[in-house]
Amino acid sequence: MGRSSKETSDLVASLLSGMTRQLEEGNTVYIQGFGTFEVKKKVERISVNPVSKQRMLVPPKLVLSYKPSASLKDKFK
């Protein structure tokens, strides 16, 4: 594409920085033909250690979710 390695690296870094900023603000990032990224909140839950049978409270957390686009899914079928 006529771009140097440094220019490509800067473009990717800029793209990821913008995506990160949008996700931190709670927005959904949609990339046409690729998929959707969004942050979801997992609620707190109780987990049981199978060995000791000890119950533990797992705190709530934010996780990144990715859903591929329909066209991308079709390519991998």
Side-chain angles (χ1 to χ4, degrees):
M1 291 179 60
R3 303 262 185 202
S4 71
S5 176
K6 170 118 174 68
E7 287 176 318
T8 304
S9 177
D10 290 344
L11 285 170
V12 171
S14 176
L15 172 70
L16 292 176
S17 174
M19 285 178 65
T20 301
R21 200 172 329 108
Q22 290 298 315
L23 290 168
E24 284 175 345
E25 293 174 5
N27 300 325
T28 299
V29 177
Y30 172 72
I31 301 173
Q32 186 175 355
F34 187 72
T36 306
F37 294 90
E38 67 180 323
V39 176
K40 293 185 177 181
K41 184 175 183 178
K42 287 198 159 192
V43 296
E44 71 179 4
R45 62 188 174 88
I46 296 175
S47 176
V48 179
N49 183 325
V51 175
S52 67
K53 305 295 185 211
Q54 181 182 9
R55 296 171 59 136
M56 298 174 282
L57 182 64
V58 178
K61 62 181 175 178
L62 300 175
V63 294
L64 182 62
S65 169
Y66 168 70
K67 181 179 178 185
S69 69
S71 62
L72 191 62
K73 282 183 186 179
D74 290 341
K75 288 181 183 180
F76 287 104
K77 279 188 177 181

